[in-house]
Amino acid sequence: MVSTLKLSDIISKWRDALQASTAIQTYCTTKYSQTPNIYVGINGKNPPADSKCPLIILYPGAKSEGLELEEYSYKLTVGWAIVQEASTTTDNITEYTGVAECDALGQLIYLELAELSAENPISEVHYSIEPVAYYPRFPGRMDITLKVTPVNGYSIEY
């Protein structure tokens, strides 16, 4: 038996966890008066409108498996976006509220995913927010790597 884990199984588990997250649902309802729209994949030619924000997108990824590898790796991407036009100015400092709100939602997503599998936790995250190019939409993105030590003859549980 070859040890393998489907990327779609990881994405499905993440989708369900994000949908069930009280912290994420409460944050979005409090800030934006709606729960986040969750997408598995996305139509890049016709992306969701601002009215669909807040949104969370789970992107398919890549994996490295095989009998010669001592450690398997699974790389997936999670994106999110909020719409926020508000800003505050105090003296000579202007702060766009969307920066902190986008980061707060990203942190909630990261914490939810980080707690899903004690046996195979998140190994690496590359996290970024784009606070300029899409104003008043504030998108964030994290590229997540899971590393799993396989045991030949056994299925991988995640």
Side-chain angles (χ1 to χ4, degrees), residues 1-2 8 12-13 15 22-23 43 47 71 75 80 83-84 87 99 101-102 107 116 135 137 140-141 144 154 156:
M1 173 185 207
V2 175
S8 58
S12 293
K13 186 168 184 173
R15 175 202 64 211
T22 303
N43 179 348
E71 185 175 69
K75 298 179 181 186
W80 66 96
V83 173
Q84 180 55 267
S87 65
V99 175
E101 289 180 11
C102 182
Q107 287 298 306
L116 280 182
Y135 177 84
R137 186 182 279 214
R141 175 186 179 108
I144 299 173
Y154 293 93
I156 300 170

Side-chain angles (χ1 to χ4, degrees), residues 2 13 58 69 126:
V2 175
K13 186 168 184 173
L58 302 170
L69 294 176
H126 296 271

Side-chain angles (χ1 to χ4, degrees), residues 38-95:
I38 299 174
Y39 295 84
V40 177
I42 193 165
N43 179 348
K45 294 179 182 178
N46 187 20
D50 284 354
S51 63
K52 294 294 185 179
C53 290
L55 59 83
I56 300 170
I57 306 165
L58 302 170
Y59 294 91
K63 67 180 182 175
S64 296
E65 296 178 332
L67 294 174
E68 295 186 8
L69 294 176
E70 292 180 19
E71 185 175 69
Y72 293 176
S73 64
Y74 303 88
K75 298 179 181 186
L76 298 102
T77 299
V78 178
W80 66 96
I82 58 123
V83 173
Q84 180 55 267
E85 294 184 18
S87 65
T88 59
T89 301
T90 306
D91 297 326
N92 63 338
I93 298 172
T94 299
E95 218 173 313

Side-chain angles (χ1 to χ4, degrees), residues 5-6 13 25 45 55 66 76 81 83 86 94 97-98 103 120-121 123-124 131 137 142 144 156-157:
L5 179 60
K6 294 189 314 186
K13 186 168 184 173
Q25 301 301 320
K45 294 179 182 178
L55 59 83
L76 298 102
V83 173
T94 299
T97 309
D103 189 29
N120 299 305
S123 302
E124 190 175 336
R137 186 182 279 214
M142 63 182 100
I144 299 173
I156 300 170
E157 297 296 323

